[in-house]
């Protein structure tokens, strides 16, 4: 969309978007005081709309109800709904009128929502239905904020990164292969300004990334160990990110028996980290960021790793394989070890669609957070709460340590018991953090991919990208 600030909104013709919080007596923007709608017809209740066409002034007013004290996610979703479901209204552009008492975060949420609503799942559909050219749609903003243009530009950059996450997660696994992700990272690095290095199978073998390689050995697709670095001048801190990039997960020889059609989403952590790198560089944050994104396909053939195998790892620890479907923690283990040993970040955060146990605990509303850093935990919770990407802590108590102890190796990758699955997986990862004092693991299994009003099938949510960005902006 082409965004501009309109200081004379009373002259606008066409679609005018008027958002309201719920009230018995609605307060209309200064330039639209003459527009009065009965509270019986519209009072600003959440998820309500009122459309009024004034042919004399050549205006169409769309009143948008947000309810009482709407949060960021409510506002974003309300505006996403407009471009997703009422796109024809935008053919001649639109004016968004923000009232004086609304916060600047309101404008950001509204603009990002309008951008997110332009996303469509039909990547491979052949259709004769005309599509709106969203890049050329005019969006004028009427606001008293002095930095309204800056807020709107920031919102568009955040949304563009989230749209990339949607694409990466929703595209099929024969499109989004490990090499596709490495190519995407290289292209994004050139466009937005961060460096990218990729280790293929041979280079990974030289580096002794043995756990990473074990997961990939059943697939003909080349594994890719992506190393991305954003280096601004005079950075405040150095943050390390790791994202799980299993582009398709059959479960390996412990093959999945249900829900495999959705396993293209098992690279949701990788997508969130890569999207965050785009947004971080695009917004030029004053924070150094190193991201490790190990990308593999966990498939089945006569070369696939076996239950009972003992494999190595970059950290030098040996791992007994109890279940080949507990593969994500293996590639994350090498990613964490490599990041901490070679780049020494001040804080480390990994994101992964790791365990069904997390879904059993939190459902689809919240991600599980594990960390040994109280300040980092609180900052992540606050950052997520403010944008509707909630995380909540679970314990890393040493009482769970015996669950990953092996008789034959240093560790085992799965305890095989019907309890504490997310916690045991986190304890496994902790063993590869080299006792780093500020590490957080976020299990996004229930939040990266799901159902919503915007599609008929499960699809990407983009969860994690904005969370990371919000956190780094507050450092």
């Amino acid at each position: 969309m082409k965004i501009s600030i309109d200081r004379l909104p009373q002259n606008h013709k066409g679609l005018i978007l008027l958002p309201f919080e719920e009230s018995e007596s609605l307060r209309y923007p200064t330039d639209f005081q003459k527009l009065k709608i009965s509270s019986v017809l519209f009072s600003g209740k959440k998820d309500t709309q009122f459309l009024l066409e004034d042919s004399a002034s050549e205006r169409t007013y769309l009143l948008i109800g947000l309810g009482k004290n709407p949060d960021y996610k409510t506002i974003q979703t309300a505006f996403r709904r407009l471009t997703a479901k009422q796109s024809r209204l935008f053919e001649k552009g639109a004016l968004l009128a923000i009232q004086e008492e609304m916060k600047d975060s309101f404008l950001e949420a509204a603009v990002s929502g309008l951008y997110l609503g332009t996303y469509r799942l039909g990547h491979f559909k052949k259709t004769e239905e005309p599509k709106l050219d969203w890049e050329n749609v005019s969006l004028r903003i009427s606001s008293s904020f002095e930095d309204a243009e800056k807020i709107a530009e920031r919102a568009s950059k955040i949304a563009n990164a989230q749209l990339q996450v949607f694409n990466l997660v929703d595209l099929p696994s024969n499109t989004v292969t490990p090499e596709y992700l490495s190519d995407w990272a290289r292209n994004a690095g050139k466009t937005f300004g961060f460096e990218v290095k990729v280790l293929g199978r041979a280079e990974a073998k030289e580096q002794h990334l043995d756990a990473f390689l074990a997961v990939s050995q059943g697939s003909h697709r080349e594994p890719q160990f992506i190393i991305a670095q954003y280096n601004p001048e005079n950075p405040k801190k150095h943050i390390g990110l790791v994202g799980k990039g299993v582009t398709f997960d059959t479960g390996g020889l412990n093959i999945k028996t249900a829900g495999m059609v959705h396993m293209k989403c098992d690279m949701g952590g990788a997508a969130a980290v890569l999207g965050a790198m785009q947004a971080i560089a695009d917004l030029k944050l004053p924070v150094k960021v190193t991201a490790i994104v190990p990308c593999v396909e966990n498939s089945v053939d006569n070369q696939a790793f076996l239950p009972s195998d003992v494999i190595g790892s970059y950290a030098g620890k040996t791992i007994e394989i109890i279940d080949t479907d507990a593969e994500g923690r293996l590639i994350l283990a090498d990613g964490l070890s490599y990041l901490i040993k070679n780049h020494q970040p001040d804080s480390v955060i990994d994101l992964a669609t790791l365990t069904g146990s997390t879904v059993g605990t939190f459902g689809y509303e919240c991600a599980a957070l594990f960390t040994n850093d109280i300040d980092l935990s609180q900052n992540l919770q606050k950052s997520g709460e403010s944008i509707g990407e909630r995380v909540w802590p679970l314990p890393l108590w040493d009482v769970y340590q015996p669950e990953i102890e092996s008789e034959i190796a240093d560790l085992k990758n799965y305890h095989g018991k019907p309890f504490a699955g997310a916690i045991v997986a986190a304890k496994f990862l902790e063993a590869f953090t080299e006792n780093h004092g500020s590490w957080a693991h976020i299990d996004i299994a229930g939040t990266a991919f799901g159902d919503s009003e915007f599609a008929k099938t499960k699809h990407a949510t983009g969860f994690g990208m904005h969370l990371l960005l919000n956190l780094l902006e507050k450092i």
Side-chain angles (χ1 to χ4, degrees):
M1 279 178 275
K2 294 180 177 179
I3 298 177
S4 62
I5 306 303
D6 194 334
R7 301 301 182 189
L8 296 170
Q10 65 272 20
N11 296 332
H12 179 80
K13 296 180 180 179
L15 178 65
I16 299 176
L17 306 175
L18 298 173
F20 292 93
E21 295 186 28
E22 184 178 355
S23 174
E24 293 181 2
S25 178
L26 296 179
R27 178 179 176 181
Y28 287 79
T30 303
D31 296 297
F32 304 100
Q33 289 291 328
K34 294 181 180 179
L35 183 66
K36 297 293 182 181
I37 306 298
S38 168
S39 60
V40 175
L41 298 175
F42 180 81
S43 61
K45 287 185 178 180
K46 184 180 178 182
D47 299 333
T48 61
Q49 295 180 1
F50 188 84
L51 190 65
L52 176 65
E53 190 170 16
D54 183 355
S55 57
S57 64
E58 300 181 50
R59 291 179 174 182
T60 300
Y61 297 96
L62 181 57
L63 281 63
I64 305 155
L66 301 170
K68 295 179 179 180
N69 302 313
D71 57 22
Y72 189 101
K73 195 68 175 180
T74 296
I75 298 164
Q76 186 183 60
T77 301
F79 280 87
R80 181 179 177 182
R81 192 177 291 128
L82 303 181
T83 44
K85 300 181 180 182
Q86 296 168 274
S87 60
R88 291 191 63 183
L89 293 175
F90 291 82
E91 289 177 350
K92 295 182 180 179
L95 170 75
L96 169 60
I98 299 294
Q99 299 191 45
E100 294 179 4
E101 66 272 17
M102 293 176 173
K103 298 178 181 178
D104 54 4
S105 60
F106 190 109
L107 176 57
E108 181 189 300
V111 173
S112 67
L114 290 172
Y115 270 89
L116 295 182
T118 66
Y119 179 73
R120 302 290 184 269
L121 265 177
H123 297 288
F124 298 93
K125 277 194 171 184
K126 294 181 178 179
T127 175
E128 295 180 0
E129 294 181 13
K131 293 183 179 179
L132 193 58
D133 182 6
W134 288 107
E135 289 187 6
N136 290 313
V137 169
S138 171
L139 175 64
R140 296 187 175 95
I141 296 172
S142 171
S143 170
S144 61
F145 301 145
E146 291 183 4
D147 53 354
E149 189 170 5
K150 183 178 179 181
I151 295 168
E153 181 182 10
R154 166 189 156 78
S156 67
K157 290 181 177 182
I158 293 172
N160 281 329
Q162 287 181 302
L163 290 171
Q164 288 298 315
V165 178
F166 288 176
N167 273 310
L168 291 175
V169 176
D170 284 330
L171 286 169
S173 55
N174 61 337
T175 297
V176 179
T177 63
E179 286 188 303
Y180 183 99
L181 289 177
S182 64
D183 287 343
W184 186 96
R186 288 189 183 97
N187 291 331
K190 291 176 183 176
T191 301
F192 297 99
F194 57 90
E195 299 175 1
V196 175
K197 177 182 178 182
V198 179
L199 306 181
R201 195 186 303 273
E203 296 88 349
K205 189 173 183 179
E206 290 177 5
Q207 292 291 328
H208 301 289
L209 294 164
D210 297 333
F212 165 74
L213 289 170
V215 178
S216 71
Q217 69 190 43
S219 173
H220 72 281
R221 302 192 191 278
E222 178 85 2
Q224 305 280 276
F225 195 84
I226 302 169
I227 307 160
Q229 291 185 289
Y230 169 67
N231 292 292
E233 293 184 7
N234 303 314
K236 293 180 179 180
K237 272 193 173 184
H238 181 194
I239 304 299
L241 304 176
V242 183
K244 174 188 170 185
V246 179
T247 57
F248 194 83
D249 180 23
T250 65
L253 288 172
N254 290 104
I255 197 161
K256 293 181 184 293
T257 57
M260 201 189 296
V261 68
H262 297 136
M263 285 301 103
K264 65 178 183 179
C265 76
D266 211 14
M267 38 65 68
V273 168
L274 290 173
M277 289 299 290
Q278 172 180 317
I280 290 163
D282 199 10
L283 291 167
K284 296 179 171 56
L285 299 194
V287 181
K288 180 179 179 179
V289 183
T290 302
I292 304 294
V293 185
C295 302
V296 299
E297 183 181 79
N298 185 24
S299 193
V300 181
D301 75 356
N302 63 340
Q303 299 297 316
F305 70 136
L306 311 174
S308 81
D309 278 358
V310 173
I311 64 172
S313 66
Y314 185 79
K317 295 180 173 69
T318 55
I319 305 167
E320 180 186 9
I321 302 302
I322 304 299
D323 193 322
T324 60
D325 197 20
E327 85 299 331
R329 64 199 69 182
L330 299 176
I331 65 172
L332 288 173
D334 274 359
L336 288 166
S337 299
Y338 187 94
L339 173 66
I340 293 168
K341 179 180 178 180
N342 295 290
H343 298 280
Q344 299 88 43
D346 299 315
S347 295
V348 178
I349 305 167
D350 74 75
L351 277 78
T353 50
L354 207 63
T355 67
S357 174
T358 293
V359 183
T361 302
F362 292 121
Y364 303 97
E365 303 300 325
C366 179
L369 169 64
F370 301 86
T371 181
N372 55 4
D373 184 334
I374 294 175
D375 289 338
L376 181 59
S377 176
Q378 292 176 344
N379 289 334
L380 279 165
Q381 289 175 71
K382 290 177 183 177
S383 296
E385 183 69 31
S386 67
I387 55 169
E389 295 191 0
R390 292 189 174 98
V391 297
W392 196 256
L394 289 176
L396 276 170
W397 298 329
D398 285 338
V399 69
Y400 294 102
Q401 184 67 27
E403 300 299 330
I404 61 168
E405 293 175 357
S406 167
E407 293 284 354
I408 195 172
D410 295 322
L411 301 163
K412 59 185 178 183
N413 77 325
Y414 183 63
H415 70 333
K417 300 174 183 177
F419 61 79
I423 298 173
V424 173
K427 290 300 291 182
F428 179 87
L429 294 179
E430 185 183 37
F432 295 88
T433 62
E434 309 299 332
N435 297 313
H436 196 288
S438 181
W439 161 69
H441 160 59
I442 305 175
D443 191 336
I444 59 173
T447 54
F449 195 77
D451 296 304
S452 83
E453 65 183 273
F454 298 109
K456 297 177 183 178
T457 185
K458 288 183 181 294
H459 56 282
T461 65
F463 187 100
M465 191 290 296
H466 198 179
L467 169 65
L468 291 175
L469 178 69
N470 212 23
L471 173 74
L472 267 59
E473 285 184 313
K474 291 177 171 59
I475 288 178

